[in-house]
Amino acid sequence: MKKLFITIAFVAAAMFANAQFFIGGTLGLSTQSGSVKLENGGISLTQDAPKTFTFTFAPSVGFMFNDNMGVGLDILFGSTKLTQKDYTFDPAATVTTKTTDLGFAPYFRYVFAEIDNFKFYADARIEYIMSTPKITIEQGGTSLSQDGDKTTDFGIGVVPGMAYMLTDNISMNCTLNILSLGYTSQKTVSKNIDGAGTDQTQKINEFGLGVNGATPITIGFFYTF
């Protein structure tokens, strides 16, 4: 038994001696706005379309045991603000929904090919994300805030990617979510604010290619040391 422990210790020491640690991540910003023009019988009416601002940040840390295999962890953070007009009220009400996303994703990476400065890999990932929205309704100088439906996402799958080595230590990584293969489960809990009615829990399961409507491609920068 003592020899077994010594052997395991030597193997672990050899693996960590050759390990390459890396740190980096992805950052995303997007905004969308516009207007809707309605025409009927010579009468024209222009209304504001929903405005959306999205911020995402996913730092990542991990290490490669050797040239082909490694592990890592992504910390997932996102914030979305959706502002829209509700013209069923007079005057129109402004409805603002702020959603905060927080989650994590451990993964195992396997590099299956290297061509010049390119490395091609696949990540086996487990992903868990919680989304918490806050809704604010403003009309005529009054404001009302309430919690929205809380959503929990769980996913497991394989996501391909590639890295381009800008220098010996810095790389630009591209994750091809559109080619991911896996399973996702989404749970949405709707609560009645006034206590009347029935609370609802909705579950949606999905299996397939590019599941869960993820951003098709994400790009990040990493430093290896």
Side-chain angles (χ1 to χ4, degrees), residues 1-14:
M1 183 64 68
K2 184 177 180 180
K3 291 182 178 180
L4 177 61
F5 283 128
I6 294 175
T7 301
I8 294 175
F10 271 112
V11 172

Side-chain angles (χ1 to χ4, degrees), residues 6-170:
I6 294 175
T7 301
I8 294 175
F10 271 112
V11 172
M15 290 178 64
F16 279 94
N18 295 322
Q20 287 187 310
F21 290 85
F22 61 85
I23 187 171
T26 62
L27 179 67
L29 290 171
S30 67
T31 181
Q32 179 178 327
S33 63
S35 61
V36 179
K37 187 176 182 180
L38 307 174
E39 294 185 78
N40 185 14
I43 299 176
S44 179
L45 175 65
T46 300
Q47 299 178 348
D48 292 332
K51 297 179 181 179
T52 305
F53 176 80
T54 302
F55 168 79
T56 57
F57 178 53
S60 181
V61 63
F63 60 90
M64 299 294 294
F65 300 113
N66 51 46
D67 291 339
N68 299 104
M69 294 185 295
V71 293
L73 175 67
D74 290 345
I75 304 297
L76 311 171
F77 174 78
S79 178
T80 301
K81 180 180 179 181
L82 172 65
T83 304
Q84 53 190 337
K85 293 285 188 179
D86 189 342
Y87 293 95
T88 60
F89 293 91
D90 188 18
T94 300
V95 182
T96 302
T97 304
K98 295 181 180 180
T99 303
T100 300
D101 302 322
L102 184 63
F104 58 90
Y107 59 89
F108 171 80
R109 174 165 298 176
Y110 181 74
V111 179
F112 56 85
E114 292 189 39
I115 302 176
D116 294 330
N117 290 339
F118 288 93
K119 293 184 178 181
F120 299 89
Y121 58 85
D123 290 344
R125 294 170 60 90
I126 299 176
E127 193 170 282
Y128 182 82
I129 303 175
M130 297 177 293
S131 299
T132 307
K134 190 80 172 180
I135 303 172
T136 302
I137 303 174
E138 297 178 286
Q139 186 208 23
T142 61
S143 177
L144 173 66
S145 295
Q146 63 187 52
D147 293 330
D149 298 342
K150 295 183 179 180
T151 302
T152 303
D153 288 277
F154 171 80
I156 182 170
V158 178
V159 185
M162 62 180 180
Y164 178 75
M165 302 304 298
L166 299 171
T167 68
D168 290 339
N169 301 100
I170 301 175

